[in-house]
Amino acid sequence: EEAMDVIAKLKLSLVGLGPFAGLMPSELSGGMQKRAAIARAMALDPKIIFLDEPSAGLDPITSAELDHLILSLRETLGITFVVVTHELASIYTIADRVIMLDKRTKKIIAEGRPEDLRDNAADPWVRRFFNRQASETEE
């Protein structure tokens, strides 16, 4: 039990929550809850962590802070993050590689660096997504 407590405090400090170790989740802000979830995911020292819309519901500043936390953990601990998100700012900040799925066909329609997909994707829908452009015609 003592070892688990030490590990929990260490993981919380890695995400900037060391001083808040004694609080309940309901006592934490939304951004702090997201950080606590990442700390919990790191408890057993995984090589890969999956995050589903990690910045959902956060303000732009807190979202940017979360992006930088992900980058920092990736660099310092060597963790690979697989992130599902629609937030372009996060994609451009944290992604080395993007895989884009077509919701209709359930297949991969694009793969590569975000900047390359924005500028050079063969599929016009992919280019519109990465350039945040509305469709010219309804699909």
Side-chain angles (χ1 to χ4, degrees):
E1 208 168 297
E2 186 178 323
M4 289 189 303
D5 189 51
V6 169
I7 290 169
K9 287 179 180 173
L10 172 65
K11 302 303 176 172
L12 286 171
S13 68
L14 285 172
V15 299
L17 293 178
F20 305 96
L23 297 180
M24 298 300 292
S26 62
E27 298 175 282
L28 301 174
S29 69
M32 293 169 90
Q33 288 178 12
K34 304 277 185 169
R35 288 173 176 263
I38 292 172
R40 188 172 50 248
M42 293 188 322
L44 299 177
D45 298 322
K47 293 180 181 175
I48 301 173
I49 293 179
F50 292 85
L51 301 174
D52 185 11
E53 300 285 357
S55 57
L58 299 180
D59 65 78
I61 293 170
T62 305
S63 293
E65 290 170 349
L66 190 62
D67 289 344
H68 289 287
L69 173 65
I70 291 167
L71 288 173
S72 174
L73 294 171
R74 181 180 76 189
E75 291 170 18
T76 58
L77 302 177
I79 297 172
T80 296
F81 285 89
V82 176
V83 180
V84 175
T85 188
H86 296 90
E87 300 237 0
L88 286 173
S90 289
I91 292 170
Y92 286 118
T93 300
I94 64 176
D96 292 328
R97 180 172 161 233
V98 173
I99 296 173
M100 190 165 196
L101 303 175
D102 184 322
K103 65 182 176 184
R104 297 163 295 199
T105 64
K106 310 282 193 264
K107 294 187 180 189
I108 295 173
I109 57 170
E111 182 177 348
R113 291 173 13 94
E115 297 80 8
D116 292 339
L117 296 177
R118 177 193 63 212
D119 300 336
N120 306 312
D123 186 318
W125 190 87
V126 173
R127 285 194 315 276
R128 283 196 314 269
F129 178 88
F130 281 96
N131 286 289
R132 201 172 184 268
Q133 296 172 331
S135 293
E136 292 152 10
T137 60
E138 283 298 314
E139 295 181 22

